[in-house]
Amino acid sequence: MKMNELTGLKNFSKILVQASSEIIKTYFRTGVSVESKSDNSPVTIADKKAEEIMRELISKHFPDHGIIGEEFGEINRDAEYTWILDPIDGTKSFICGAYSFGTLIGLLKNGQPILGVYNHPILNDFLVGDNFETTINGEKTSVKDCDKLSNAVLLTTDHLNIEKYQNIEKFNNLIRKVKLYRNWGDCYGYYLLATGYVDVMIDPIMSPWDLLPLIPIVKGAGGVITDYQGNDPVKGKSAVASASGIHSEIITLLNN
């Protein structure tokens, strides 16, 4: 892909987040009603309307592109370019009036992530990565150097999910080796990693719209991201993202 083409797609992604942000801001901390989806996860009108406007814009400007969205499924699945949309990643936080949520947008070319966006509509932080560079509000950002677990800050979204989907004793062993452990999760945790505030973010289970947009962001910031077992995250259903100096040790502790 030519650099000017990628730049154009980055600029278009900003149009998407500007449109979705206006909707999300309207509903934040308004006591919005909550529905339960088939998997019992929550969804609000803000999730739905934010995804709808992004889908409309993509279909208008790139009618031959595919779309995979959390709320409204897939179109043009076999397209060369496919947009991944998670209008509000961290809906539970959004419902509770907490700031640990954001909008995730990814772009795949022939199934490989080439662009990832995290946008926080309330904090006005726009994070975009292309596997080679990640910027926040136009300024280059990077994962913090960390080569010892004893200095690391570890995050996960939901501690109970570790026990449900992975080996909890091995995860607890990892907790005992790090400096600090917190549940500042969903996409907000990866945002903190990519901007140099924490060192490890782990999710034992993820959907494509949760995971794929994060890959170019973490890689572009100089971090490493794999699935829980250390494999290619593009084909995975989980994530371990960290500074490069501690990633292999983390994978070993979680699995061996």
Side-chain angles (χ1 to χ4, degrees):
M1 173 178 286
K2 296 179 180 178
M3 185 58 66
N4 59 347
E5 184 180 1
L6 185 59
T7 300
L9 291 166
K10 286 181 181 180
N11 291 337
F12 178 69
S13 72
K14 196 159 191 177
I15 294 172
L16 295 180
V17 299
Q18 287 169 342
S20 59
S21 287
E22 289 305 311
I23 292 169
I24 294 167
K25 287 177 186 177
T26 301
Y27 291 102
F28 185 59
R29 292 185 172 177
T30 63
V32 62
S33 62
V34 182
E35 302 172 30
S36 291
K37 294 191 283 190
S38 59
D39 62 356
N40 290 321
S41 63
V43 63
T44 71
I45 190 172
D47 298 79
K48 293 179 178 180
K49 285 186 173 293
E51 184 171 320
E52 283 176 344
I53 190 63
M54 291 192 288
R55 295 175 81 101
E56 288 173 10
L57 287 165
I58 293 167
S59 296
K60 177 182 178 181
H61 291 274
F62 300 102
D64 58 331
H65 285 195
I67 301 173
I68 299 174
E70 178 175 10
E71 308 307 335
F72 297 106
E74 302 179 13
I75 60 171
N76 296 342
R77 182 180 179 88
D78 297 324
E80 180 181 12
Y81 291 97
T82 300
W83 294 88
I84 311 295
L85 304 176
D86 191 346
I88 302 179
D89 184 77
T91 298
K92 291 176 183 177
S93 294
F94 177 81
I95 291 165
C96 294
Y99 288 102
S100 48
F101 70 93
T103 298
L104 287 178
I105 300 170
L107 181 62
L108 311 182
K109 182 177 182 181
N110 296 321
Q112 293 298 312
I114 61 169
L115 190 66
V117 168
Y118 163 92
N119 184 70
H120 199 294
I122 310 302
L123 301 179
N124 294 317
D125 276 344
F126 177 73
L127 191 68
V128 57
D130 60 12
N131 293 308
F132 303 102
E133 180 181 82
T134 296
T135 61
I136 179 167
N137 301 329
E139 299 293 327
K140 189 173 180 179
T141 186
S142 63
V143 171
K144 182 174 58 175
D145 288 334
C146 181
D147 57 9
K148 292 182 179 180
L149 280 179
S150 58
N151 294 330
V153 178
L154 165 66
L155 306 182
T156 192
T157 300
D158 186 340
H159 190 85
L160 294 178
N161 274 347
I162 304 291
E163 186 169 16
K164 186 175 181 180
Y165 295 102
Q166 304 291 346
N167 185 302
I168 188 63
E169 290 306 319
K170 292 177 181 179
F171 187 82
N172 286 340
N173 186 40
L174 174 62
I175 291 173
R176 288 188 285 267
K177 292 181 179 296
V178 300
K179 181 179 180 180
L180 183 64
Y181 170 59
R182 290 291 183 269
N183 292 154
W184 303 329
D186 296 303
C187 58
Y188 189 74
Y190 298 90
Y191 154 80
L192 291 174
L193 174 74
T195 51
Y197 291 103
V198 304
D199 307 289
V200 190
M201 177 65 197
I202 295 175
D203 275 306
I205 188 71
M206 298 185 87
S207 299
W209 43 82
D210 301 320
L211 174 57
L212 294 174
L214 298 170
I215 296 170
I217 293 173
V218 173
K219 287 184 175 180
V224 178
I225 182 167
T226 66
D227 74 1
Y228 207 90
Q229 286 70 41
N231 303 313
D232 182 0
V234 176
K235 301 175 182 178
K237 295 181 180 179
S238 55
V240 176
S242 73
S244 60
I246 54 176
H247 193 270
S248 61
E249 184 178 0
I250 293 166
I251 294 297
T252 299
L253 287 168
L254 291 175
N255 294 282
N256 294 339

